[in-house]
PDB file of all heavy atoms in Angstrom:
ATOM      1  N   CYS E   1      50.045 109.328  65.395  1.00  0.00           N
ATOM      2  CA  CYS E   1      50.120 110.646  64.823  1.00  0.00           C
ATOM      3  C   CYS E   1      49.401 110.710  63.498  1.00  0.00           C
ATOM      4  O   CYS E   1      48.685 111.709  63.214  1.00  0.00           O
ATOM      5  CB  CYS E   1      51.603 111.055  64.647  1.00  0.00           C
ATOM      6  SG  CYS E   1      51.839 112.742  63.977  1.00  0.00           S
ATOM      7  N   ARG E   2      49.605 109.738  62.661  1.00  0.00           N
ATOM      8  CA  ARG E   2      48.912 109.688  61.324  1.00  0.00           C
ATOM      9  C   ARG E   2      47.370 109.697  61.562  1.00  0.00           C
ATOM     10  O   ARG E   2      46.667 110.377  60.849  1.00  0.00           O
ATOM     11  CB  ARG E   2      49.328 108.494  60.547  1.00  0.00           C
ATOM     12  CG  ARG E   2      50.726 108.552  60.021  1.00  0.00           C
ATOM     13  CD  ARG E   2      50.963 107.542  58.942  1.00  0.00           C
ATOM     14  NE  ARG E   2      52.364 107.494  58.480  1.00  0.00           N
ATOM     15  CZ  ARG E   2      53.238 106.603  58.868  1.00  0.00           C
ATOM     16  NH1 ARG E   2      52.907 105.650  59.765  1.00  0.00           N
ATOM     17  NH2 ARG E   2      54.456 106.611  58.463  1.00  0.00           N
ATOM     18  N   ARG E   3      46.906 108.902  62.513  1.00  0.00           N
ATOM     19  CA  ARG E   3      45.464 108.784  62.754  1.00  0.00           C
ATOM     20  C   ARG E   3      44.944 110.155  63.232  1.00  0.00           C
ATOM     21  O   ARG E   3      43.843 110.568  62.809  1.00  0.00           O
ATOM     22  CB  ARG E   3      45.198 107.701  63.802  1.00  0.00           C
ATOM     23  CG  ARG E   3      45.634 106.313  63.359  1.00  0.00           C
ATOM     24  CD  ARG E   3      44.622 105.687  62.338  1.00  0.00           C
ATOM     25  NE  ARG E   3      43.412 105.268  63.024  1.00  0.00           N
ATOM     26  CZ  ARG E   3      43.277 104.068  63.618  1.00  0.00           C
ATOM     27  NH1 ARG E   3      44.271 103.187  63.672  1.00  0.00           N
ATOM     28  NH2 ARG E   3      42.110 103.739  64.127  1.00  0.00           N
ATOM     29  N   ILE E   4      45.674 110.801  64.139  1.00  0.00           N
ATOM     30  CA  ILE E   4      45.282 112.118  64.578  1.00  0.00           C
ATOM     31  C   ILE E   4      45.257 113.076  63.472  1.00  0.00           C
ATOM     32  O   ILE E   4      44.319 113.905  63.324  1.00  0.00           O
ATOM     33  CB  ILE E   4      46.198 112.588  65.730  1.00  0.00           C
ATOM     34  CG1 ILE E   4      45.962 111.746  67.011  1.00  0.00           C
ATOM     35  CG2 ILE E   4      46.019 114.084  66.008  1.00  0.00           C
ATOM     36  CD1 ILE E   4      46.925 112.058  68.125  1.00  0.00           C
ATOM     37  N   ARG E   5      46.322 113.055  62.636  1.00  0.00           N
ATOM     38  CA  ARG E   5      46.378 114.023  61.515  1.00  0.00           C
ATOM     39  C   ARG E   5      45.286 113.825  60.501  1.00  0.00           C
ATOM     40  O   ARG E   5      44.865 114.770  59.841  1.00  0.00           O
ATOM     41  CB  ARG E   5      47.763 113.937  60.894  1.00  0.00           C
ATOM     42  CG  ARG E   5      48.114 115.116  60.012  1.00  0.00           C
ATOM     43  CD  ARG E   5      47.974 116.465  60.623  1.00  0.00           C
ATOM     44  NE  ARG E   5      49.001 116.823  61.567  1.00  0.00           N
ATOM     45  CZ  ARG E   5      48.763 117.282  62.785  1.00  0.00           C
ATOM     46  NH1 ARG E   5      47.548 117.477  63.245  1.00  0.00           N
ATOM     47  NH2 ARG E   5      49.746 117.653  63.587  1.00  0.00           N
ATOM     48  N   ASP E   6      44.786 112.593  60.353  1.00  0.00           N
ATOM     49  CA  ASP E   6      43.694 112.319  59.436  1.00  0.00           C
ATOM     50  C   ASP E   6      42.385 113.015  59.900  1.00  0.00           C
ATOM     51  O   ASP E   6      41.499 113.329  59.118  1.00  0.00           O
ATOM     52  CB  ASP E   6      43.385 110.813  59.354  1.00  0.00           C
ATOM     53  CG  ASP E   6      44.425 110.099  58.501  1.00  0.00           C
ATOM     54  OD1 ASP E   6      45.147 110.762  57.741  1.00  0.00           O
ATOM     55  OD2 ASP E   6      44.532 108.884  58.634  1.00  0.00           O
ATOM     56  N   GLU E   7      42.329 113.316  61.194  1.00  0.00           N
ATOM     57  CA  GLU E   7      41.086 113.823  61.782  1.00  0.00           C
ATOM     58  C   GLU E   7      41.226 115.287  62.226  1.00  0.00           C
ATOM     59  O   GLU E   7      40.170 115.953  62.509  1.00  0.00           O
ATOM     60  CB  GLU E   7      40.643 112.992  62.993  1.00  0.00           C
ATOM     61  CG  GLU E   7      40.435 111.525  62.681  1.00  0.00           C
ATOM     62  CD  GLU E   7      40.150 110.663  63.862  1.00  0.00           C
ATOM     63  OE1 GLU E   7      39.837 111.252  64.944  1.00  0.00           O
ATOM     64  OE2 GLU E   7      40.265 109.428  63.777  1.00  0.00           O
ATOM     65  N   SER E   8      42.447 115.812  62.443  1.00  0.00           N
ATOM     66  CA  SER E   8      42.589 117.076  63.074  1.00  0.00           C
ATOM     67  C   SER E   8      43.931 117.724  62.754  1.00  0.00           C
ATOM     68  O   SER E   8      44.892 117.057  62.321  1.00  0.00           O
ATOM     69  CB  SER E   8      42.535 116.884  64.616  1.00  0.00           C
ATOM     70  OG  SER E   8      42.848 118.036  65.328  1.00  0.00           O
ATOM     71  N   THR E   9      43.990 119.023  62.876  1.00  0.00           N
ATOM     72  CA  THR E   9      45.241 119.755  62.729  1.00  0.00           C
ATOM     73  C   THR E   9      45.847 120.138  64.082  1.00  0.00           C
ATOM     74  O   THR E   9      46.742 120.946  64.200  1.00  0.00           O
ATOM     75  CB  THR E   9      45.044 121.054  61.965  1.00  0.00           C
ATOM     76  OG1 THR E   9      44.094 121.942  62.600  1.00  0.00           O
ATOM     77  CG2 THR E   9      44.542 120.753  60.528  1.00  0.00           C
ATOM     78  N   VAL E  10      45.332 119.503  65.143  1.00  0.00           N
ATOM     79  CA  VAL E  10      45.860 119.781  66.510  1.00  0.00           C
ATOM     80  C   VAL E  10      47.394 119.604  66.515  1.00  0.00           C
ATOM     81  O   VAL E  10      47.922 118.652  65.878  1.00  0.00           O
ATOM     82  CB  VAL E  10      45.202 118.858  67.563  1.00  0.00           C
ATOM     83  CG1 VAL E  10      45.594 117.441  67.337  1.00  0.00           C
ATOM     84  CG2 VAL E  10      45.476 119.326  68.947  1.00  0.00           C
ATOM     85  N   PRO E  11      48.131 120.414  67.219  1.00  0.00           N
ATOM     86  CA  PRO E  11      49.558 120.259  67.247  1.00  0.00           C
ATOM     87  C   PRO E  11      50.019 118.949  67.832  1.00  0.00           C
ATOM     88  O   PRO E  11      49.369 118.442  68.792  1.00  0.00           O
ATOM     89  CB  PRO E  11      50.061 121.425  68.095  1.00  0.00           C
ATOM     90  CG  PRO E  11      48.943 122.425  68.046  1.00  0.00           C
ATOM     91  CD  PRO E  11      47.683 121.661  67.948  1.00  0.00           C
ATOM     92  N   VAL E  12      51.077 118.393  67.283  1.00  0.00           N
ATOM     93  CA  VAL E  12      51.621 117.117  67.762  1.00  0.00           C
ATOM     94  C   VAL E  12      53.107 117.238  67.959  1.00  0.00           C
ATOM     95  O   VAL E  12      53.842 117.716  67.034  1.00  0.00           O
ATOM     96  CB  VAL E  12      51.351 115.950  66.781  1.00  0.00           C
ATOM     97  CG1 VAL E  12      52.010 114.666  67.281  1.00  0.00           C
ATOM     98  CG2 VAL E  12      49.804 115.751  66.638  1.00  0.00           C
ATOM     99  N   ILE E  13      53.625 116.828  69.124  1.00  0.00           N
ATOM    100  CA  ILE E  13      55.061 116.711  69.400  1.00  0.00           C
ATOM    101  C   ILE E  13      55.356 115.268  69.617  1.00  0.00           C
ATOM    102  O   ILE E  13      54.708 114.584  70.451  1.00  0.00           O
ATOM    103  CB  ILE E  13      55.456 117.575  70.603  1.00  0.00           C
ATOM    104  CG1 ILE E  13      55.192 119.038  70.303  1.00  0.00           C
ATOM    105  CG2 ILE E  13      56.947 117.340  70.912  1.00  0.00           C
ATOM    106  CD1 ILE E  13      55.546 119.945  71.507  1.00  0.00           C
ATOM    107  N   MET E  14      56.337 114.729  68.923  1.00  0.00           N
ATOM    108  CA  MET E  14      56.791 113.372  69.130  1.00  0.00           C
ATOM    109  C   MET E  14      57.923 113.310  70.150  1.00  0.00           C
ATOM    110  O   MET E  14      58.786 114.218  70.212  1.00  0.00           O
ATOM    111  CB  MET E  14      57.314 112.777  67.842  1.00  0.00           C
ATOM    112  CG  MET E  14      56.320 112.757  66.655  1.00  0.00           C
ATOM    113  SD  MET E  14      54.800 111.813  67.000  1.00  0.00           S
ATOM    114  CE  MET E  14      55.518 110.160  67.206  1.00  0.00           C
ATOM    115  N   LEU E  15      57.989 112.283  70.955  1.00  0.00           N
ATOM    116  CA  LEU E  15      59.080 112.019  71.896  1.00  0.00           C
ATOM    117  C   LEU E  15      59.779 110.720  71.436  1.00  0.00           C
ATOM    118  O   LEU E  15      59.100 109.718  71.132  1.00  0.00           O
ATOM    119  CB  LEU E  15      58.538 111.796  73.278  1.00  0.00           C
ATOM    120  CG  LEU E  15      57.777 112.952  73.909  1.00  0.00           C
ATOM    121  CD1 LEU E  15      57.278 112.598  75.317  1.00  0.00           C
ATOM    122  CD2 LEU E  15      58.650 114.221  73.985  1.00  0.00           C
ATOM    123  N   SER E  16      61.082 110.770  71.416  1.00  0.00           N
ATOM    124  CA  SER E  16      61.888 109.611  70.997  1.00  0.00           C
ATOM    125  C   SER E  16      63.085 109.429  71.907  1.00  0.00           C
ATOM    126  O   SER E  16      63.744 110.390  72.273  1.00  0.00           O
ATOM    127  CB  SER E  16      62.327 109.753  69.555  1.00  0.00           C
ATOM    128  OG  SER E  16      63.171 108.694  69.173  1.00  0.00           O
ATOM    129  N   ALA E  17      63.358 108.185  72.254  1.00  0.00           N
ATOM    130  CA  ALA E  17      64.571 107.894  73.063  1.00  0.00           C
ATOM    131  C   ALA E  17      65.828 107.995  72.256  1.00  0.00           C
ATOM    132  O   ALA E  17      66.926 108.010  72.804  1.00  0.00           O
ATOM    133  CB  ALA E  17      64.434 106.477  73.700  1.00  0.00           C
ATOM    134  N   ARG E  18      65.690 108.079  70.932  1.00  0.00           N
ATOM    135  CA  ARG E  18      66.789 108.157  70.048  1.00  0.00           C
ATOM    136  C   ARG E  18      66.627 109.332  69.121  1.00  0.00           C
ATOM    137  O   ARG E  18      65.505 109.723  68.851  1.00  0.00           O
ATOM    138  CB  ARG E  18      67.031 106.912  69.235  1.00  0.00           C
ATOM    139  CG  ARG E  18      67.138 105.658  70.083  1.00  0.00           C
ATOM    140  CD  ARG E  18      67.286 104.432  69.125  1.00  0.00           C
ATOM    141  NE  ARG E  18      66.164 104.321  68.259  1.00  0.00           N
ATOM    142  CZ  ARG E  18      66.158 103.422  67.217  1.00  0.00           C
ATOM    143  NH1 ARG E  18      67.174 102.651  67.005  1.00  0.00           N
ATOM    144  NH2 ARG E  18      65.072 103.321  66.470  1.00  0.00           N
ATOM    145  N   ALA E  19      67.712 109.944  68.673  1.00  0.00           N
ATOM    146  CA  ALA E  19      67.668 110.995  67.689  1.00  0.00           C
ATOM    147  C   ALA E  19      67.961 110.486  66.306  1.00  0.00           C
ATOM    148  O   ALA E  19      68.401 111.252  65.405  1.00  0.00           O
ATOM    149  CB  ALA E  19      68.642 112.103  68.044  1.00  0.00           C
ATOM    150  N   ASP E  20      67.749 109.159  66.111  1.00  0.00           N
ATOM    151  CA  ASP E  20      68.004 108.552  64.824  1.00  0.00           C
ATOM    152  C   ASP E  20      67.236 109.233  63.741  1.00  0.00           C
ATOM    153  O   ASP E  20      66.037 109.621  63.961  1.00  0.00           O
ATOM    154  CB  ASP E  20      67.618 107.069  64.820  1.00  0.00           C
ATOM    155  CG  ASP E  20      68.650 106.193  65.625  1.00  0.00           C
ATOM    156  OD1 ASP E  20      69.644 106.829  66.064  1.00  0.00           O
ATOM    157  OD2 ASP E  20      68.412 105.019  65.815  1.00  0.00           O
ATOM    158  N   ALA E  21      67.795 109.422  62.555  1.00  0.00           N
ATOM    159  CA  ALA E  21      67.126 110.086  61.462  1.00  0.00           C
ATOM    160  C   ALA E  21      65.789 109.352  61.119  1.00  0.00           C
ATOM    161  O   ALA E  21      64.789 110.051  60.819  1.00  0.00           O
ATOM    162  CB  ALA E  21      68.030 110.080  60.206  1.00  0.00           C
ATOM    163  N   ILE E  22      65.776 108.028  61.208  1.00  0.00           N
ATOM    164  CA  ILE E  22      64.545 107.331  60.816  1.00  0.00           C
ATOM    165  C   ILE E  22      63.436 107.704  61.757  1.00  0.00           C
ATOM    166  O   ILE E  22      62.285 107.989  61.354  1.00  0.00           O
ATOM    167  CB  ILE E  22      64.773 105.794  60.857  1.00  0.00           C
ATOM    168  CG1 ILE E  22      65.763 105.422  59.731  1.00  0.00           C
ATOM    169  CG2 ILE E  22      63.483 105.073  60.716  1.00  0.00           C
ATOM    170  CD1 ILE E  22      66.110 103.974  59.716  1.00  0.00           C
ATOM    171  N   ASP E  23      63.660 107.703  63.063  1.00  0.00           N
ATOM    172  CA  ASP E  23      62.625 108.073  64.062  1.00  0.00           C
ATOM    173  C   ASP E  23      62.105 109.486  63.807  1.00  0.00           C
ATOM    174  O   ASP E  23      60.934 109.740  63.827  1.00  0.00           O
ATOM    175  CB  ASP E  23      63.172 107.968  65.496  1.00  0.00           C
ATOM    176  CG  ASP E  23      63.241 106.519  65.978  1.00  0.00           C
ATOM    177  OD1 ASP E  23      62.730 105.630  65.285  1.00  0.00           O
ATOM    178  OD2 ASP E  23      63.783 106.274  67.070  1.00  0.00           O
ATOM    179  N   VAL E  24      63.033 110.409  63.665  1.00  0.00           N
ATOM    180  CA  VAL E  24      62.718 111.815  63.499  1.00  0.00           C
ATOM    181  C   VAL E  24      61.933 112.034  62.218  1.00  0.00           C
ATOM    182  O   VAL E  24      60.824 112.621  62.224  1.00  0.00           O
ATOM    183  CB  VAL E  24      64.006 112.671  63.532  1.00  0.00           C
ATOM    184  CG1 VAL E  24      63.666 114.106  63.163  1.00  0.00           C
ATOM    185  CG2 VAL E  24      64.718 112.608  64.855  1.00  0.00           C
ATOM    186  N   VAL E  25      62.433 111.549  61.094  1.00  0.00           N
ATOM    187  CA  VAL E  25      61.773 111.775  59.861  1.00  0.00           C
ATOM    188  C   VAL E  25      60.407 111.116  59.753  1.00  0.00           C
ATOM    189  O   VAL E  25      59.461 111.684  59.273  1.00  0.00           O
ATOM    190  CB  VAL E  25      62.707 111.283  58.673  1.00  0.00           C
ATOM    191  CG1 VAL E  25      61.938 111.379  57.352  1.00  0.00           C
ATOM    192  CG2 VAL E  25      63.960 112.148  58.629  1.00  0.00           C
ATOM    193  N   LEU E  26      60.287 109.876  60.269  1.00  0.00           N
ATOM    194  CA  LEU E  26      59.008 109.175  60.206  1.00  0.00           C
ATOM    195  C   LEU E  26      57.984 109.970  61.004  1.00  0.00           C
ATOM    196  O   LEU E  26      56.815 110.121  60.572  1.00  0.00           O
ATOM    197  CB  LEU E  26      59.146 107.766  60.736  1.00  0.00           C
ATOM    198  CG  LEU E  26      59.774 106.742  59.858  1.00  0.00           C
ATOM    199  CD1 LEU E  26      59.916 105.363  60.584  1.00  0.00           C
ATOM    200  CD2 LEU E  26      58.984 106.555  58.585  1.00  0.00           C
ATOM    201  N   GLY E  27      58.331 110.423  62.191  1.00  0.00           N
ATOM    202  CA  GLY E  27      57.438 111.239  62.971  1.00  0.00           C
ATOM    203  C   GLY E  27      57.006 112.510  62.300  1.00  0.00           C
ATOM    204  O   GLY E  27      55.784 112.862  62.269  1.00  0.00           O
ATOM    205  N   LEU E  28      57.929 113.198  61.760  1.00  0.00           N
ATOM    206  CA  LEU E  28      57.632 114.483  61.043  1.00  0.00           C
ATOM    207  C   LEU E  28      56.794 114.253  59.794  1.00  0.00           C
ATOM    208  O   LEU E  28      55.852 114.983  59.444  1.00  0.00           O
ATOM    209  CB  LEU E  28      58.905 115.225  60.734  1.00  0.00           C
ATOM    210  CG  LEU E  28      59.716 115.738  61.919  1.00  0.00           C
ATOM    211  CD1 LEU E  28      61.053 116.299  61.498  1.00  0.00           C
ATOM    212  CD2 LEU E  28      58.929 116.775  62.732  1.00  0.00           C
ATOM    213  N   GLU E  29      57.159 113.189  59.047  1.00  0.00           N
ATOM    214  CA  GLU E  29      56.393 112.889  57.813  1.00  0.00           C
ATOM    215  C   GLU E  29      54.975 112.444  58.177  1.00  0.00           C
ATOM    216  O   GLU E  29      54.047 112.637  57.340  1.00  0.00           O
ATOM    217  CB  GLU E  29      57.084 111.794  57.024  1.00  0.00           C
ATOM    218  CG  GLU E  29      58.379 112.248  56.335  1.00  0.00           C
ATOM    219  CD  GLU E  29      59.023 111.157  55.509  1.00  0.00           C
ATOM    220  OE1 GLU E  29      58.725 109.991  55.764  1.00  0.00           O
ATOM    221  OE2 GLU E  29      59.852 111.503  54.634  1.00  0.00           O
ATOM    222  N   ALA E  30      54.776 111.889  59.375  1.00  0.00           N
ATOM    223  CA  ALA E  30      53.457 111.508  59.754  1.00  0.00           C
ATOM    224  C   ALA E  30      52.548 112.671  60.115  1.00  0.00           C
ATOM    225  O   ALA E  30      51.347 112.555  60.296  1.00  0.00           O
ATOM    226  CB  ALA E  30      53.507 110.556  60.960  1.00  0.00           C
ATOM    227  N   GLY E  31      53.178 113.871  60.193  1.00  0.00           N
ATOM    228  CA  GLY E  31      52.405 115.075  60.494  1.00  0.00           C
ATOM    229  C   GLY E  31      52.753 115.798  61.794  1.00  0.00           C
ATOM    230  O   GLY E  31      52.072 116.764  62.154  1.00  0.00           O
ATOM    231  N   ALA E  32      53.789 115.281  62.509  1.00  0.00           N
ATOM    232  CA  ALA E  32      54.161 115.943  63.757  1.00  0.00           C
ATOM    233  C   ALA E  32      54.721 117.324  63.451  1.00  0.00           C
ATOM    234  O   ALA E  32      55.332 117.568  62.417  1.00  0.00           O
ATOM    235  CB  ALA E  32      55.189 115.093  64.500  1.00  0.00           C
ATOM    236  N   ASP E  33      54.505 118.256  64.387  1.00  0.00           N
ATOM    237  CA  ASP E  33      55.006 119.611  64.244  1.00  0.00           C
ATOM    238  C   ASP E  33      56.432 119.756  64.774  1.00  0.00           C
ATOM    239  O   ASP E  33      57.181 120.650  64.343  1.00  0.00           O
ATOM    240  CB  ASP E  33      54.120 120.585  65.015  1.00  0.00           C
ATOM    241  CG  ASP E  33      52.700 120.539  64.424  1.00  0.00           C
ATOM    242  OD1 ASP E  33      52.436 121.311  63.475  1.00  0.00           O
ATOM    243  OD2 ASP E  33      51.851 119.825  64.977  1.00  0.00           O
ATOM    244  N   ASP E  34      56.849 118.921  65.707  1.00  0.00           N
ATOM    245  CA  ASP E  34      58.134 119.035  66.335  1.00  0.00           C
ATOM    246  C   ASP E  34      58.429 117.702  67.024  1.00  0.00           C
ATOM    247  O   ASP E  34      57.576 116.817  67.089  1.00  0.00           O
ATOM    248  CB  ASP E  34      58.180 120.197  67.355  1.00  0.00           C
ATOM    249  CG  ASP E  34      59.590 120.697  67.605  1.00  0.00           C
ATOM    250  OD1 ASP E  34      60.554 120.041  67.093  1.00  0.00           O
ATOM    251  OD2 ASP E  34      59.726 121.719  68.291  1.00  0.00           O
ATOM    252  N   TYR E  35      59.646 117.519  67.522  1.00  0.00           N
ATOM    253  CA  TYR E  35      60.015 116.350  68.273  1.00  0.00           C
ATOM    254  C   TYR E  35      60.988 116.720  69.363  1.00  0.00           C
ATOM    255  O   TYR E  35      61.718 117.709  69.286  1.00  0.00           O
ATOM    256  CB  TYR E  35      60.583 115.251  67.361  1.00  0.00           C
ATOM    257  CG  TYR E  35      62.049 115.460  67.058  1.00  0.00           C
ATOM    258  CD1 TYR E  35      63.036 114.777  67.791  1.00  0.00           C
ATOM    259  CD2 TYR E  35      62.449 116.273  66.025  1.00  0.00           C
ATOM    260  CE1 TYR E  35      64.361 114.983  67.548  1.00  0.00           C
ATOM    261  CE2 TYR E  35      63.788 116.474  65.750  1.00  0.00           C
ATOM    262  CZ  TYR E  35      64.741 115.839  66.503  1.00  0.00           C
ATOM    263  OH  TYR E  35      66.080 116.037  66.225  1.00  0.00           O
ATOM    264  N   VAL E  36      60.984 115.934  70.436  1.00  0.00           N
ATOM    265  CA  VAL E  36      61.896 116.140  71.549  1.00  0.00           C
ATOM    266  C   VAL E  36      62.565 114.786  71.864  1.00  0.00           C
ATOM    267  O   VAL E  36      61.903 113.740  71.881  1.00  0.00           O
ATOM    268  CB  VAL E  36      61.158 116.637  72.809  1.00  0.00           C
ATOM    269  CG1 VAL E  36      62.151 116.733  73.977  1.00  0.00           C
ATOM    270  CG2 VAL E  36      60.514 117.993  72.499  1.00  0.00           C
ATOM    271  N   THR E  37      63.882 114.788  72.037  1.00  0.00           N
ATOM    272  CA  THR E  37      64.640 113.561  72.314  1.00  0.00           C
ATOM    273  C   THR E  37      64.683 113.311  73.813  1.00  0.00           C
ATOM    274  O   THR E  37      64.954 114.216  74.616  1.00  0.00           O
ATOM    275  CB  THR E  37      66.035 113.676  71.733  1.00  0.00           C
ATOM    276  OG1 THR E  37      65.989 113.910  70.351  1.00  0.00           O
ATOM    277  CG2 THR E  37      66.789 112.402  71.969  1.00  0.00           C
ATOM    278  N   LYS E  38      64.392 112.054  74.200  1.00  0.00           N
ATOM    279  CA  LYS E  38      64.526 111.675  75.604  1.00  0.00           C
ATOM    280  C   LYS E  38      65.965 111.236  75.901  1.00  0.00           C
ATOM    281  O   LYS E  38      66.609 110.688  75.003  1.00  0.00           O
ATOM    282  CB  LYS E  38      63.566 110.504  75.910  1.00  0.00           C
ATOM    283  CG  LYS E  38      62.100 110.880  75.768  1.00  0.00           C
ATOM    284  CD  LYS E  38      61.176 109.855  76.388  1.00  0.00           C
ATOM    285  CE  LYS E  38      61.193 108.572  75.576  1.00  0.00           C
ATOM    286  NZ  LYS E  38      60.210 107.607  76.036  1.00  0.00           N
ATOM    287  N   PRO E  39      66.473 111.459  77.130  1.00  0.00           N
ATOM    288  CA  PRO E  39      65.842 112.124  78.250  1.00  0.00           C
ATOM    289  C   PRO E  39      65.788 113.616  77.991  1.00  0.00           C
ATOM    290  O   PRO E  39      66.671 114.187  77.342  1.00  0.00           O
ATOM    291  CB  PRO E  39      66.700 111.777  79.436  1.00  0.00           C
ATOM    292  CG  PRO E  39      68.063 111.595  78.836  1.00  0.00           C
ATOM    293  CD  PRO E  39      67.841 110.972  77.478  1.00  0.00           C
ATOM    294  N   PHE E  40      64.718 114.254  78.518  1.00  0.00           N
ATOM    295  CA  PHE E  40      64.562 115.670  78.296  1.00  0.00           C
ATOM    296  C   PHE E  40      64.404 116.408  79.637  1.00  0.00           C
ATOM    297  O   PHE E  40      63.973 115.787  80.623  1.00  0.00           O
ATOM    298  CB  PHE E  40      63.342 115.969  77.398  1.00  0.00           C
ATOM    299  CG  PHE E  40      62.099 115.266  77.837  1.00  0.00           C
ATOM    300  CD1 PHE E  40      61.300 115.721  78.913  1.00  0.00           C
ATOM    301  CD2 PHE E  40      61.681 114.099  77.155  1.00  0.00           C
ATOM    302  CE1 PHE E  40      60.132 115.051  79.298  1.00  0.00           C
ATOM    303  CE2 PHE E  40      60.550 113.430  77.569  1.00  0.00           C
ATOM    304  CZ  PHE E  40      59.786 113.912  78.625  1.00  0.00           C
ATOM    305  N   ASP E  41      64.704 117.696  79.636  1.00  0.00           N
ATOM    306  CA  ASP E  41      64.500 118.497  80.782  1.00  0.00           C
ATOM    307  C   ASP E  41      63.056 119.015  80.775  1.00  0.00           C
ATOM    308  O   ASP E  41      62.549 119.408  79.708  1.00  0.00           O
ATOM    309  CB  ASP E  41      65.444 119.694  80.745  1.00  0.00           C
ATOM    310  CG  ASP E  41      65.311 120.609  81.953  1.00  0.00           C
ATOM    311  OD1 ASP E  41      64.495 121.578  81.870  1.00  0.00           O
ATOM    312  OD2 ASP E  41      65.969 120.402  82.962  1.00  0.00           O
ATOM    313  N   GLY E  42      62.372 118.964  81.925  1.00  0.00           N
ATOM    314  CA  GLY E  42      60.963 119.364  81.982  1.00  0.00           C
ATOM    315  C   GLY E  42      60.742 120.777  81.476  1.00  0.00           C
ATOM    316  O   GLY E  42      59.762 121.044  80.761  1.00  0.00           O
ATOM    317  N   ALA E  43      61.671 121.658  81.870  1.00  0.00           N
ATOM    318  CA  ALA E  43      61.483 123.082  81.430  1.00  0.00           C
ATOM    319  C   ALA E  43      61.599 123.227  79.932  1.00  0.00           C
ATOM    320  O   ALA E  43      60.900 124.060  79.295  1.00  0.00           O
ATOM    321  CB  ALA E  43      62.529 123.946  82.130  1.00  0.00           C
TER     322      ALA E  43
END
């Protein structure tokens, strides 16, 4: 995500098997726009 954000503003969604604060915050701080916790519903 950080590498992508260095090159582009394309939207990024992170997927994580856990909703731990560390996982969520690290992904968002890296430049992600949102996150979804696994398992997730396709819809």
Side-chain angles (χ1 to χ4, degrees):
C1 181
R2 290 196 185 99
R3 298 283 286 274
I4 289 174
R5 194 53 75 228
D6 286 342
E7 303 175 15
S8 172
T9 60
V10 69
V12 175
I13 297 177
M14 303 297 299
L15 300 178
S16 174
R18 303 179 302 172
D20 288 354
I22 292 177
D23 281 353
V24 173
V25 172
L26 284 177
L28 295 172
E29 286 181 342
D33 298 275
D34 202 353
Y35 81 95
V36 175
T37 302
K38 296 192 293 185
F40 49 79
D41 181 270

